[in-house]
Amino acid sequence: MAETINVGLVGYKFMGKAHSNAYRQVAHFFPDVALRPVLHTLCGRDRNAVQQAANELGWQEVETDWRALIARDDIGLIDISTPGDSHAPIAIAAAEAGKHVFCEKPLANTLDEARQMRDAVQRAGVVGMVNFNYRRVPAVQLAKRLIDDGRIGQIYHWRAVYLQDWIMDPNFPLVWRLQKDAAGSGTLGDLGAHIIDLARLLLGEIESVTGLTNTFIKQRPVLAETTGGLAAAGGTQMGEVTVDDAALFLARFSNGAVGSFEATRFAKGRANYNSFEINGSKGSIVFNLERMNELQVLFDDDAADVRGFRTVLVTDASHPYMQAWWPAGHIIGWEHTFTHTVRDLLNGIASGTTPDATFDDGLRCQAVLDAVVRSDSSRSWVAPAYE
Ligand code: SOE
């Protein structure tokens, strides 16, 4: 039986729920995982709400102050599933306390914070991993293998969109994701970060960008903080939206490819449409998260009479992670990408190696986000400040 590691999770809403599920599932489906996670302590500011979440999600204890959580010597891994403004203080304190750190994306709200976080985990010699979970979709892993094996030749184009539509109602309230102080940015950092990370995974570094951001709805109803959540403030008090609703940018890659990126929460009818297309000299690849078990491929060396896009169902046991689940064709879902990520995190901690996406990956993604914002204001091409 593998050794265990006690996890302290800060945040218990959407991402906290997805992370809790991954910790619960990982050792059942990957029995060879080198460390078995114990859902030890769940941390949140509101004691009643976090206790209820702990009961529902299977956590043993609760804390209401992340500093107290980090001070405990019975916690080995700190998982940060909070809004972006708390990523840096929690991660830096955790690393300095010798805890491994698993942080939701994007790594930080600013490039400077991301650099401090990366330096902190490197100084402490602890594992620091960012939850860019789409790296561990088997179909994305197949895309990477096809590219790395040269199956589509020289890469010319990267074309990616990440489209949602959950805030198009003007009455949707001013939640934290719509406030720059809390979230750092809007769709750019929330959704754009994912397609930037996938671009870096599949094509390599981005040399320069030129972009724009836009906020379609500039004022929204303010919510009053209530115990355990938010409720509409009395009357129609309105507040300023201080982040982007949409972000579009072009990129030049170091490998000579060119790229287009679009992230928005105003694509009516698109629920979670994260899709990329890669065109090479010998073929093309298309991925769509809403059909995440499939990869569309086209190879020049197919016989002419059958040459065209074909759909590969990426569920055979030969594909990464798939041997843990079900027989071919019994498809997996969004939540499985978190279990894959946690499995590699735990194996990394056990072996003393940091799996990708490392905090340096997170920093490089943040540098691209920062460059898009600077490009938007300067209306010029900008090189990410990686150093
Ligand atoms: C909301 O936009 C969100 O939950 C993102 O924050 C996640 O990173 C993405 O995977 C799904 O959509």
Side-chain angles (χ1 to χ4, degrees):
M1 174 81 85
E3 271 186 64
T4 60
I5 183 167
N6 289 337
V7 183
L9 170 61
V10 191
Y12 54 91
K13 303 282 177 63
F14 182 7
M15 284 300 127
K17 185 174 180 179
H19 288 217
S20 299
N21 177 63
Y23 291 125
R24 283 199 309 270
Q25 298 295 349
V26 65
H28 296 301
F29 288 92
F30 294 93
D32 65 341
V33 67
L35 278 174
R36 301 168 73 86
V38 174
L39 283 73
H40 193 278
T41 305
L42 187 62
C43 183
R45 283 169 299 187
D46 181 291
R47 180 167 292 278
N48 293 333
V50 73
Q51 184 59 66
Q52 183 181 339
N55 299 341
E56 288 166 2
L57 299 175
W59 291 82
Q60 294 173 5
E61 301 182 22
V62 298
E63 283 283 359
T64 55
D65 177 355
W66 59 261
R67 295 166 190 81
L69 177 70
I70 288 174
R72 296 176 66 143
D73 56 12
D74 58 352
I75 298 290
L77 166 62
I78 294 289
D79 179 319
I80 306 171
S81 291
T82 58
D85 58 345
S86 56
H87 288 189
I90 298 173
I92 293 167
E96 289 172 351
K99 316 287 186 187
H100 301 293
V101 186
F102 183 42
C103 187
E104 261 302 322
K105 40 51 63 181
L107 183 59
N109 278 4
T110 69
L111 182 51
D112 183 49
E113 283 178 347
R115 199 167 279 123
Q116 290 177 47
M117 295 164 79
R118 187 275 310 269
D119 294 348
V121 296
Q122 284 187 348
R123 263 196 315 272
V126 295
V127 166
M129 189 178 180
V130 191
N131 183 40
F132 282 116
N133 54 303
Y134 299 131
R135 287 179 173 236
R136 290 176 169 80
V137 175
V140 170
Q141 295 275 324
L142 175 59
K144 178 155 181 59
R145 182 159 59 80
L146 293 173
I147 292 167
D148 293 350
D149 289 352
R151 291 293 302 281
I152 64 169
Q154 179 186 347
I155 309 293
Y156 297 132
H157 281 281
W158 166 266
R159 192 172 302 108
V161 297
Y162 200 156
L163 314 176
Q164 296 180 347
D165 66 359
W166 55 282
I167 59 167
M168 293 184 71
D169 180 349
N171 296 313
F172 187 92
L174 193 68
V175 294
W176 69 266
R177 279 200 183 285
L178 305 179
Q179 301 172 46
K180 183 176 171 62
D181 291 349
S185 65
T187 52
L188 178 61
D190 184 23
L191 304 180
H194 276 300
I195 47 182
I196 291 168
D197 182 68
L198 286 171
R200 290 194 58 249
L201 172 75
L202 296 168
L203 272 72
E205 299 304 342
I206 289 169
E207 217 164 58
S208 60
V209 296
T210 184
L212 66 85
T213 63
N214 197 60
T215 304
F216 297 113
I217 297 177
K218 304 191 188 308
Q219 300 249 327
R220 289 181 181 271
V222 174
L223 282 167
E225 287 277 339
T226 60
T227 50
L230 296 161
T236 53
Q237 186 188 347
M238 301 294 280
E240 194 72 28
V241 174
T242 51
V243 297
D244 55 281
D245 289 330
L248 299 88
F249 60 97
L250 302 176
R252 291 187 181 283
F253 289 83
S254 302
N255 69 359
V258 294
S260 64
F261 297 74
E262 180 178 357
T264 182
R265 292 170 177 148
F266 276 72
K268 178 71 77 175
R270 296 294 190 186
N272 196 31
Y273 188 78
N274 173 359
S275 180
F276 61 75
E277 176 165 337
I278 303 168
N279 306 129
S281 57
K282 294 179 0 187
S284 291
I285 292 170
V286 181
F287 171 73
N288 166 10
L289 179 64
E290 292 180 354
R291 301 182 69 89
M292 64 172 269
N293 291 274
E294 300 172 0
L295 193 70
Q296 286 190 299
V297 297
L298 175 144
F299 302 121
D300 227 6
D301 51 12
D302 281 348
D305 59 345
V306 290
R307 190 178 305 145
F309 274 106
R310 49 190 151 104
T311 301
V312 179
L313 188 59
V314 189
T315 56
D316 286 358
S318 59
H319 293 287
Y321 312 106
M322 290 311 288
Q323 80 291 342
W325 302 108
W326 321 114
H330 296 63
I331 55 177
I332 63 171
W334 180 79
E335 77 277 9
H336 296 82
T337 68
F338 288 76
T339 307
H340 300 167
T341 304
V342 156
R343 179 256 191 164
D344 290 353
L345 166 67
L346 294 164
N347 285 345
I349 291 171
S351 62
T353 53
T354 301
D356 66 285
T358 67
F359 272 26
D360 201 61
D361 288 315
L363 169 59
R364 290 182 164 273
C365 178
Q366 207 79 40
V368 177
L369 296 171
D370 172 75
V372 172
V373 171
R374 287 188 289 126
S375 163
D376 185 18
S377 55
S378 66
R379 296 183 181 237
S380 63
W381 281 88
V382 172
Y386 291 124
E387 300 314 317

